[in-house]
Amino acid sequence: MPSYTNNRDILYSVIKNRILTMEYIPGQKISELEIAQQTNISRTPVREAFLRLSEEGLLQIVPQSGTYVSKIDLKMAEEARFVRQNIEKVIVANSCTHITPEQIANIQDIIDLQEFYSKKNQPEKFFDLDEKFHYAFYKIESKENTWNWLQSFNAHLNRFRWIRSSLVELDLNLLIEHHKEILNVVKLGDAQRAEDLVSEHLHLMVDEKDIVLKKYPDYF
């Protein structure tokens, strides 16, 4: 039987994933009791998961009212984008000097699967692969802990990115083409061009912000 700690951590991960993938939308009220009943887990670990997510800014606990999914904080999303851009461009550039054929093949497979799922109109799988594309470079540079730290800082940015990947108004092929270009210059060993392309790619949030805001104004 799962331990109390495991139940708490599992609930935290499940609820956070539902928030990040917009299964729980910004502003939605969620109930400790309902989640406890759905998962057949007592309310105490649910409450502790709620508190942890509240500390991360993903839930808002309102006394005498209830618990609500926080709206997406654009300022926090933009700051996370700025931090990630300035870290990731260096990581990708550094990979130019020692990326292996096997690592190149792995990243190419990710891009191929992104193309497949974009045609199938499956944004959740596409987004997961988008994360895997970026994470692959952190692994190459043995910077997995940096990636994990960014994830703890990236919640509002990732929600924005997930919405972006689900909008038919914004072509997923643009993201795929960016990934192809990044991989190509890394294969060529062009570190400066790799930095420039990563910066351009991660700047898309700024370029496309108004489109997302127009489509989902109540989420912000």
Side-chain angles (χ1 to χ4, degrees):
M1 173 175 278
S3 69
Y4 173 85
T5 301
N6 284 342
N7 282 338
R8 181 192 62 202
D9 292 343
I10 289 168
L11 280 168
Y12 164 79
S13 296
V14 167
I15 297 167
K16 184 172 184 176
N17 185 65
R18 290 176 181 177
I19 294 171
L20 294 179
T21 60
M22 308 302 288
E23 183 176 343
Y24 293 156
I25 64 173
Q28 177 180 342
K29 187 175 183 178
I30 61 175
S31 162
E32 286 181 14
L33 178 59
E34 288 180 4
I35 292 175
Q37 291 173 339
Q38 290 168 4
T39 58
N40 199 28
I41 296 174
S42 70
R43 290 183 67 175
T44 300
V46 178
R47 185 176 300 114
E48 292 187 357
F50 273 24
L51 287 171
R52 185 174 170 187
L53 290 163
S54 174
E55 291 169 357
E56 293 182 15
L58 290 176
L59 290 179
Q60 182 180 13
I61 300 173
V62 182
Q64 311 304 319
S65 178
T67 300
Y68 300 83
V69 178
S70 298
K71 300 291 184 79
I72 299 172
D73 187 323
L74 277 178
K75 184 175 185 299
M76 289 186 68
E78 166 55 26
E79 287 189 25
R81 183 208 62 79
F82 173 80
V83 171
R84 179 167 169 178
Q85 176 181 320
N86 282 282
I87 292 173
E88 194 162 312
K89 68 181 184 181
V90 175
I91 284 175
V92 175
N94 288 346
S95 75
C96 290
T97 61
H98 53 264
I99 191 169
T100 67
E102 291 78 13
Q103 290 165 336
I104 290 170
N106 174 61
I107 296 172
Q108 184 61 58
D109 287 343
I110 292 170
I111 295 171
D112 292 343
L113 282 171
Q114 280 194 295
E115 288 190 297
F116 175 79
Y117 285 114
S118 70
K119 292 174 184 176
K120 294 289 185 181
N121 192 28
Q122 296 188 32
E124 186 167 352
K125 289 187 180 296
F126 182 94
F127 183 80
D128 287 343
L129 289 161
D130 192 74
E131 291 287 272
K132 287 179 180 178
F133 172 86
H134 292 276
Y135 180 52
F137 290 100
Y138 290 77
K139 288 176 67 178
I140 290 168
E141 293 303 301
S142 299
K143 294 293 187 291
E144 292 93 338
N145 288 329
T146 302
W147 172 267
N148 291 334
W149 174 80
L150 285 171
Q151 292 307 298
S152 70
F153 186 65
N154 270 351
H156 290 276
L157 173 61
N158 283 344
R159 287 204 286 171
F160 182 96
R161 290 174 55 235
W162 201 96
I163 294 173
R164 186 260 179 254
S165 70
S166 67
L167 283 179
V168 295
E169 295 92 334
L170 295 171
D171 189 1
L172 293 179
N173 287 325
L174 176 60
L175 301 181
I176 294 169
E177 288 306 312
H178 278 195
H179 287 179
K180 288 179 177 178
E181 290 175 11
I182 290 168
L183 181 59
N184 187 53
V185 297
V186 169
K187 288 193 293 185
L188 294 173
D190 189 341
Q192 183 57 60
R193 182 60 179 151
E195 278 200 28
D196 293 342
L197 285 173
V198 170
S199 293
E200 179 184 346
H201 179 61
L202 293 177
H203 200 267
L204 281 176
M205 174 196 164
V206 177
D207 299 335
E208 299 172 341
K209 180 175 65 177
D210 289 344
I211 298 172
V212 177
L213 285 170
K214 184 177 179 180
K215 183 72 174 181
Y216 295 110
D218 294 336
Y219 287 4
F220 299 88

